[in-house]
Amino acid sequence: MRLPWWALALPVLAFVALLTLIAGPAEAHAAGGSAPGAGQVIERIHALLAR
């Protein structure tokens, strides 16, 4: 049985998002390559999940 593409993509995205939250904004920005607004989106997601 084959898995759909999203069955692998969603856990990878969740892992990357959590890793970015753990690393903090300084380390995530130093890695480069991300859009300037990406940090703000992650901060909002973190604030929503922290409720």
Side-chain angles (χ1 to χ4, degrees):
M1 175 181 271
R2 291 183 49 155
L3 292 174
W5 65 269
W6 51 265
L8 295 174
L10 290 179
V12 170
L13 286 173
F15 177 76
V16 170
L18 290 174
L19 188 62
T20 304
L21 287 173
I22 291 170
E27 289 83 2
H29 187 275
S34 63
Q40 292 175 348
V41 171
I42 293 172
E43 288 176 8
R44 288 181 189 239
I45 292 171
H46 185 256
L48 288 172
L49 292 175
R51 287 185 183 181

